[in-house]
Amino acid sequence: MANSDNRWKQGFPKIGIRPTIDGRRKGVRESLEDQTMNMAKAVASLLSETLKYPNGEPVECIIADTCIGGVAEASAAAEKFAKAGVGVSITVTPCWCYGTETMDMDPSTPKAIWGFNGTERPGAVYLAAVLSGHAQKGIPAFGIYGKDVQDAGTTDIPQDVQEKLLRFAKAGLAAAYMKGKSYLSIGSVSMGIAGSIVNEELFQNYLGMRNEYVDMTELVRRIDEEIFDPEEYRIALNWVKENCKEGPDKNPPEIQTSREKKDQDWEKVVKMTLIVRDLMVGNLRLADLDYGEEALGHNAILSGFQGQRHWTDHFPNGDFLEAILNTSFDWNGKRAPYLVATENDSLNGVVMLFGNLLTNTAQIFADVRTYWSPDAVKRVTGHTLTGAAKDGILHLINSGPAALDGTGEQTRDGKPVMKPFWEITDEEVTKCLEATSWRPAAVEYFRGGGYSTDFLTKGGMPVTMSRINLVKGLGPVLQLAEGYSVDLPEDVHNTLDLRTDSTWPTTWFAPILTGEGSFTDVYSVMDNWGSNHGSISYGHIGADLITLAAILRIPVSMHNVAKEHIFRPRVWSNFGTSDPEGADFRACSSFGPLYK
């Protein structure tokens, strides 16, 4: 069987907590030692008790051995953090400290500073001073300053401070975890889709990742030479036969494949799934089978499968492998998703990765296919859209790679959700499988056969759709739209859905409108979307995506997040405060990518 912990063997980045202090001894420093260190401990407790790594374990925080009053202690903390694998740093203080002597100088480590809002000692003064030092030295840092004055010695962390600490920590850990991992491109460019032209500058300079490449013929070799775990294959195939219900074949009778061919397709797509996973992260079992090189994998946190058309004109399509790997469970039980971008759309894969690391949940990969206006729905179906859908909806649908979590069959407090794998129940796994039909692929698209997922996402889920686009001369740009999945009456859904391919999964999405810019109306959202694909994550995570983008120096061109929730490095305000979107572009351009 595959080693389910193989992905985590390198561990996870830790958060370093830096308690800084006024270095003057003989009275000043001594009076502040306990309060300063207790601030650090309180922050560490908050983060470890609230946040989890992708494997479900609590986030680990490392506190400097002593309070940091000057360069020597700052250097000692940096050395300790380097040895401990710290990837994110948070500085805390209730008082004045010597800014440039105590600051974290590592330019590639995401960093934030909490300056205590109290009147007894000037923590806010230090915060302003050290943030100006970060700006002057070109090392952006996030400033955290509570709205309300607190009393000296208070150990409580105000709610507004907690929100910023958690938002920064989630985004910082996401950035740190990507560093050193790989994007594995299986195949090349699919059907001229620009997103599957893998841009190494994006991965290396902005994300700190490396690029790995494998031709799709490697799958043929491993299938033909049986380079996969035969025991796991047997278990997987039996699980598929028992749990993946095959839907009706929509192809014309004269071109439908035989039962024998359909069974052969099932066998092949299961093997393809095992092989792509092994290519990504390795499989220790292969070493026992005398395939030591193949056992290592490519250390890929994300991959893309070209599929169309060089593969799918001859072999079964990649929809099953993409759907199952992107899902939070398989024949080995519940586990973290293996992220695979369909059609090797690496740019959509990047935002799938962002959403996964920020939420620890599976992601829905989809075409941003069609805008349905209220008038068009009324004309075609006679139905009047209401509720969240009243201003129109987007039809999100693609040829089968959407994670089964996207059915909405997982629940919390009776409402549909998408959960981290460790929260999913066995009953919810069964419901996701029962809500999914595996339809023989449309031969007009997939001459080699295969299977596509067919399900309908339950309405009522808060979700965020996002996308990275590349612009010549500008670089990567992020866009996002928060909104809700919506339910339509069954007959209305069928009428609209059957106008396209009935074998594919559908999510009806209603973005939240602001009445301005790209969110003037639903048509404007569709009209301003930068490509044919989008990634849909559970929850309204737009603010977290904006913070992560700022860490990576990727500007955000389109969002509907309320301004009070936007959290970027303090120096961004020096690029202008009346036009935050323009300031974001200017700041990202000035500082350049995180790993330049």
Side-chain angles (χ1 to χ4, degrees), residues 128 131-136 569-579 582-584 586-587 590-591:
L131 286 172
S132 73
H134 278 282
Q136 191 167 327
R570 180 69 61 83
V571 69
W572 261 234
S573 64
N574 289 341
F575 290 87
T577 57
S578 62
D579 175 21
D584 182 35
R586 292 187 288 274
S590 177
F591 291 112

Side-chain angles (χ1 to χ4, degrees), residues 260-468:
E260 181 182 12
K261 173 63 166 60
K262 286 184 170 70
D263 290 340
Q264 290 172 352
D265 282 356
W266 274 120
E267 294 172 1
K268 188 154 289 185
V269 297
V270 171
K271 292 174 183 177
M272 289 164 60
T273 305
L274 297 176
I275 290 167
V276 168
R277 184 206 59 202
D278 292 350
L279 282 167
M280 289 179 66
V281 302
N283 184 348
L284 299 180
R285 176 72 177 118
L286 298 183
D288 298 333
L289 301 173
D290 201 27
Y291 293 106
E293 181 181 1
E294 291 83 351
L296 298 176
H298 290 265
N299 195 35
I301 193 176
L302 173 67
S303 70
F305 182 68
Q306 176 195 333
Q308 299 189 71
R309 286 181 44 210
H310 306 136
W311 180 271
T312 57
D313 278 3
H314 185 63
F315 294 108
N317 65 15
D319 287 3
F320 178 82
L321 79 87
E322 292 161 2
I324 287 296
L325 290 178
N326 281 322
T327 296
S328 299
F329 54 83
D330 61 16
W331 42 86
N332 289 320
K334 291 162 283 190
R335 43 83 177 143
Y338 297 88
L339 300 176
V340 185
T342 195
E343 295 161 346
N344 198 27
D345 186 347
S346 60
L347 299 182
N348 214 57
V350 168
V351 286
M352 290 175 68
L353 179 57
F354 288 178
N356 171 255
L357 291 176
L358 290 170
T359 66
N360 289 322
T361 60
Q363 307 294 296
I364 302 174
F365 185 115
D367 270 3
V368 185
R369 179 62 65 95
T370 311
Y371 160 63
W372 279 99
S373 69
D375 289 344
V377 173
K378 181 75 171 178
R379 176 180 62 82
V380 172
T381 69
H383 176 71
T384 299
L385 294 175
T386 59
K390 65 182 176 60
D391 297 307
I393 50 178
L394 300 183
H395 192 180
L396 309 181
I397 181 172
N398 205 319
S399 60
L404 272 60
D405 305 63
T407 57
E409 293 292 340
Q410 300 161 19
T411 59
R412 187 180 293 121
D413 299 325
K415 297 179 180 179
V417 298
M418 294 169 67
K419 297 179 179 178
F421 77 89
W422 57 85
E423 294 182 13
I424 299 172
T425 67
D426 292 341
E427 181 183 9
E428 288 168 339
V429 169
T430 299
K431 286 183 176 181
C432 289
L433 289 163
E434 290 178 345
T436 304
S437 174
W438 298 89
R439 303 285 295 275
V443 174
E444 63 178 327
Y445 296 124
F446 304 110
R447 298 173 187 172
Y451 295 93
S452 295
T453 50
D454 181 23
F455 65 73
L456 174 62
T457 299
K458 281 191 172 182
M461 290 198 294
V463 293
T464 303
M465 182 170 74
S466 61
R467 170 75 189 184
I468 286 277

